[in-house]
Amino acid sequence: MQHGPAVRRRKLGAELRALRTSAGLTSGEAARLVGWHQSKVSRIETGTSGVKPTDVRLLLDAYGVADSQLRELLMMLAGSDDSGGRHHWWHAYRGVLPPTYRDFISLESQAGAMRTLETTVVPGLLQTPEYARAVTSAAVEGLAEERLDTLVEVRLARQDVLRADPPLELSAVLDEAVLRREVGGPGVMARQLEKLVEAARLPQVRLQVLPFAAGAHIGVTGPFVIFSFSSTSDLDVVVLDHLTSSLYLERKEDLQAYTEAFNALQIHALSPEDSLDFIAGTAAGA
């Protein structure tokens, strides 16, 4: 388990190594093409040192990589602010957001798909402003009003990925507890359930409810997120959120285990159609 930046360096290095190999170049030949020492290429490929976006661009040009989507993704992993993709709006909040949260947002903004299990609260991408405010206030006690406003603003800005072109494909399994937990009071919860019904009808959103009647399930160990990238599956990552930090799992066996767990949860959960009826029924009885 690693923090986001270390995972991203290593994934970026592995992808650059694969691209160099596909181009039929040794690390020494690649270094000569861009005017570096061979050791710099090796350090970048092993993830032992950071790499500037400009260096990534040089390597991609040397390897003849023309895929704009792949170039954009690799530039994002290098920390580029101007990779040509979705505007990196979160950099305006550097003084407010912790690095782990900014890292999560950057992955979310570039991912092609996101699978998430939520056992406690509604996913951030589907929260109403009032619900987001209540959750944030409860999670971080003693927040100044101005800082709370900013964090809610960021939470809502993240939701633009569902309206992007192309939009993020979101698959979410919600434990029934998410629907039953009254966050912010009856009125706030009623509006939140209505928003879930609206979201469930979007073509890019697949929402399923795991009812209490399903009993114990593999998700009892806690919520998780799987980010997938359309350019290459080698960059997929699992994110586990904790109180003070986030941990990133990148090993193939970890990805396989969480993917299989999510698939099992989808099987045990209600179908999207039945889930929509379940949420609507819960809203009606709220």
Side-chain angles (χ1 to χ4, degrees), residues 12-25 45 56 59-60 62-65 70-71 74:
L12 174 60
E15 187 64 19
L16 289 172
R17 182 172 60 250
L19 291 171
R20 173 181 59 76
T21 302
S22 297
L25 299 170
E45 291 185 352
V56 172
L59 291 174
L60 295 177
Y63 302 159
V65 179
L70 179 57
R71 289 178 68 98
L74 296 181

Side-chain angles (χ1 to χ4, degrees), residues 37 61 74 78 81 86 96 103 110 167 170 181 262 272:
H37 193 279
D61 290 343
L74 296 181
D81 289 353
R86 297 170 185 162
V96 179
D103 201 59
Q110 295 293 334
L170 174 64
R181 177 168 287 101
F262 190 80

Side-chain angles (χ1 to χ4, degrees), residues 115-136:
R115 287 164 287 176
T116 181
L117 164 69
E118 289 291 350
T119 59
T120 307
V121 297
V122 171
L125 294 183
L126 303 178
Q127 292 178 4
T128 64
E130 299 86 359
Y131 186 98
R133 189 176 191 83
V135 165
T136 304

Side-chain angles (χ1 to χ4, degrees), residues 85-277:
R86 297 170 185 162
H87 179 54
H88 291 192
W89 54 268
W90 58 91
H91 289 294
Y93 298 92
R94 280 184 181 275
V96 179
L97 305 180
T100 51
Y101 191 20
R102 294 201 307 268
D103 201 59
F104 181 90
I105 294 173
S106 69
L107 288 173
E108 184 179 70
S109 73
Q110 295 293 334
M114 174 179 172
R115 287 164 287 176
T116 181
L117 164 69
E118 289 291 350
T119 59
T120 307
V121 297
V122 171
L125 294 183
L126 303 178
Q127 292 178 4
T128 64
E130 299 86 359
Y131 186 98
R133 189 176 191 83
V135 165
T136 304
S137 180
V140 189
E141 293 184 353
L143 273 178
E145 198 70 16
E146 183 178 352
R147 183 175 172 84
L148 178 58
D149 290 341
T150 300
L151 291 176
V152 172
E153 183 180 311
V154 169
R155 181 71 55 90
L156 300 179
R158 285 173 47 202
Q159 298 177 3
D160 285 345
V161 295
L162 295 176
R163 297 182 288 271
D165 184 20
L168 174 76
E169 294 183 5
L170 174 64
S171 295
V173 173
L174 308 183
D175 191 277
E176 184 178 343
V178 172
L179 310 180
R180 301 294 183 187
R181 177 168 287 101
E182 190 175 282
V183 174
V188 170
M189 200 62 204
R191 287 187 290 275
Q192 178 60 72
L193 292 175
E194 289 173 3
K195 176 160 183 172
L196 282 179
V197 170
E198 294 172 4
R201 295 192 174 111
L202 295 174
Q204 67 271 34
V205 175
R206 179 185 175 92
L207 203 57
Q208 292 181 258
V209 174
L210 195 61
F212 291 147
H217 53 78
I218 198 168
V220 295
T221 54
F224 59 86
V225 173
I226 306 173
F227 284 122
S228 299
F229 298 87
S230 53
S231 297
T232 170
S233 62
D234 289 340
L235 297 173
D236 292 358
V237 63
V238 176
V239 184
L240 305 178
D241 207 20
H242 295 275
L243 182 62
T244 58
S245 65
S246 296
L247 292 176
Y248 293 69
L249 307 179
E250 58 170 334
R251 298 185 308 164
K252 290 187 181 299
E253 50 265 47
D254 291 326
L255 285 164
Q256 181 177 351
Y258 276 88
T259 297
E260 290 175 354
F262 190 80
N263 292 341
L265 289 167
Q266 286 188 308
I267 292 172
H268 288 93
L270 300 175
S271 69
E273 296 76 18
D274 289 342
S275 295
L276 182 59
D277 292 340

Side-chain angles (χ1 to χ4, degrees), residues 43-58:
R43 289 196 304 273
I44 289 173
E45 291 185 352
T46 56
T48 55
S49 67
V51 55
K52 298 177 181 178
T54 52
D55 290 342
V56 172
R57 187 181 292 111
L58 283 174

